[in-house]
Amino acid sequence: AAASAWGVCRLPVGHLTLEPAGTITSVDWRLDLWNAELAGTVTTSKGTLRVRAFIHTTRSVFVATATATGTEQVKWVFHDEKAISPKSDSESPPSGYTENPAPTKKTTANVNLVVQPLVAGGQTATAYRKAGDTLYLSVAHTFPEKTAEAAARATVENAVTTGEADLRASHRSWWNAFYQ
């Protein structure tokens, strides 16, 4: 049973941070349940960051718009992580365990990619691109095929083409109908 917790767990792909130029002095965020969106302001010693974010309900894409005032700057950073069981924090791997290789990073057609091949087969990929004030990010996993990179990239490219306003409108429409 302990070995299976290593072999069938969710593997980390990484995390995204918004890194202000100034020191954060206050945060005023609200989670809007009706629209399934996070919106608010981060105030720093150099200005403000106004943020609105949602995960689209019918597309596998995170959409975040951030605008800065004063001398503040919008800086999104994706921190990739090694695809290893979270159990590694508390115990040694089972005998014979082979770790997944390190992820690779590349940029294709303005889309940043972090591709994680998996020892058991398949692949996980994270794709992201900033277009104007909006960041689009998608994670895809395929098994046994190794097509996650193409899927994540296509999702991001399609989201950029669709645009934040149309994505937000279709997301809200679906969510408002569901939430009733």
Side-chain angles (χ1 to χ4, degrees):
S4 67
W6 277 80
V8 296
C9 62
R10 288 187 177 187
L11 300 174
V13 295
H15 63 279
L16 183 67
T17 56
L18 177 58
E19 301 181 1
T23 302
I24 296 172
T25 57
S26 69
V27 176
D28 181 17
W29 283 2
R30 299 281 188 261
L31 182 57
D32 177 349
L33 296 178
W34 177 247
N35 291 311
E37 297 173 2
L38 174 72
T41 304
V42 176
T43 303
T44 76
S45 58
K46 294 191 174 196
T48 63
L49 293 168
R50 183 167 303 281
V51 180
R52 179 175 52 220
F54 59 92
I55 298 172
H56 198 277
T57 54
T58 60
R59 302 179 188 213
S60 200
V61 65
F62 170 74
V63 181
T65 300
T67 55
T69 65
T71 58
E72 190 53 76
Q73 297 178 3
V74 176
K75 180 182 175 187
W76 292 104
V77 178
F78 183 77
H79 307 270
D80 60 280
E81 295 178 32
K82 191 172 186 179
I84 186 168
S85 171
K87 303 261 311 160
S88 65
D89 291 341
S90 60
E91 64 184 58
S92 297
S95 176
Y97 179 78
T98 303
E99 288 188 1
N100 289 309
T104 58
K105 298 181 210 176
K106 63 182 174 178
T107 303
T108 303
N110 295 322
V111 176
N112 299 293
L113 296 154
V114 178
V115 181
Q116 177 66 65
L118 303 171
V119 170
Q123 117 186 141
T124 300
T126 303
Y128 58 98
R129 177 178 171 192
K130 189 174 177 209
D133 291 335
T134 303
L135 178 84
Y136 303 88
L137 183 145
S138 182
V139 178
H141 173 75
T142 56
F143 178 85
E145 303 82 13
K146 295 182 177 167
T147 56
E149 175 183 344
R153 187 178 70 242
T155 298
V156 166
E157 289 171 343
N158 185 274
V160 170
T161 300
T162 303
E164 189 272 347
D166 286 349
L167 288 170
R168 182 170 22 92
S170 62
H171 168 76
R172 283 182 175 183
S173 177
W174 185 98
W175 194 257
N176 294 164
F178 169 80
Y179 198 64
Q180 292 180 34

